[in-house]
């Protein structure tokens, strides 16, 4: 059993910062790509940021220069540093990872989501 647990969401004023964390636990042998997605009310889930196992990153255009994705492989953790937050960043943020289990199964795993609300 492998799971991802996100944390760090909350209510924040426009222009402020938040850092989200995503920890993989359970029968984890290795983690390949990791990503952060978000889903705002009434909208489709979209990719926000993506990081490969060797640190190559991709960002959705609206967050470039404001958000940074990074990871600590020793802790099986990915982070999303969100600066200069805007009301349109309000959404449930989900972590996604491509994980190889200790039984060498390749799994795509989603976290349960963490709510980020940007409002004055």
């Amino acid at each position: 059993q492998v799971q991802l647990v996100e944390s760090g969401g909350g209510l924040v004023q426009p222009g402020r910062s938040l850092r989200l964390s995503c920890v993989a636990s359970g029968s984890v042998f290795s983690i390949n790509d990791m990503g952060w997605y978000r889903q705002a009310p009434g909208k489709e889930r979209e990719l926000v940021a993506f990081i490969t196992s060797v640190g190559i990153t991709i960002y959705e255009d609206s967050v470039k220069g404001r958000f940074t994705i990074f990871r600590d492989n020793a802790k099986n953790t990915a982070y999303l540093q969100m600066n200069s937050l805007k009301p349109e960043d309000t959404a449930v943020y989900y972590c996604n990872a491509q994980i190889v289990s200790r039984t060498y199964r390749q799994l795509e795993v989603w976290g349960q989501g963490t709510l980020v609300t940007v409002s004055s």
Side-chain angles (χ1 to χ4, degrees):
Q1 187 79 2
V2 174
Q3 61 178 350
L4 295 175
V5 178
E6 301 107 331
S7 61
L11 173 63
V12 64
Q13 294 180 328
R16 304 298 292 266
S17 298
L18 277 178
R19 178 179 291 186
L20 306 182
S21 299
C22 168
V23 182
S25 63
S27 181
V28 177
F29 175 73
S30 66
I31 304 175
N32 295 321
D33 303 335
M34 301 185 79
W36 286 96
Y37 293 71
R38 67 186 179 188
Q39 187 166 18
K43 294 189 176 182
E44 300 273 329
R45 188 175 297 189
E46 64 176 359
L47 175 67
V48 176
F50 178 90
I51 185 167
T52 70
S53 59
V54 294
I56 297 171
T57 57
I58 297 173
Y59 295 94
E60 194 268 328
D61 284 346
S62 70
V63 308
K64 286 179 181 177
R66 300 190 298 122
F67 290 10
T68 302
I69 186 171
F70 59 102
R71 61 194 286 173
D72 184 335
N73 290 331
K75 296 181 178 180
N76 288 342
T77 301
Y79 303 91
L80 185 68
Q81 177 67 41
M82 304 185 294
N83 299 331
S84 303
L85 282 161
K86 303 176 180 180
E88 52 263 42
D89 295 318
T90 295
V92 178
Y93 284 70
Y94 297 91
C95 181
N96 173 275
Q98 310 297 321
I99 294 175
V100 179
S101 72
R102 290 180 185 152
T103 57
Y104 303 108
R105 293 180 60 201
Q106 299 208 16
L107 307 170
E108 180 179 20
V109 185
W110 288 89
Q112 82 288 352
T114 185
L115 177 62
V116 172
T117 304
V118 184
S119 174
S120 54

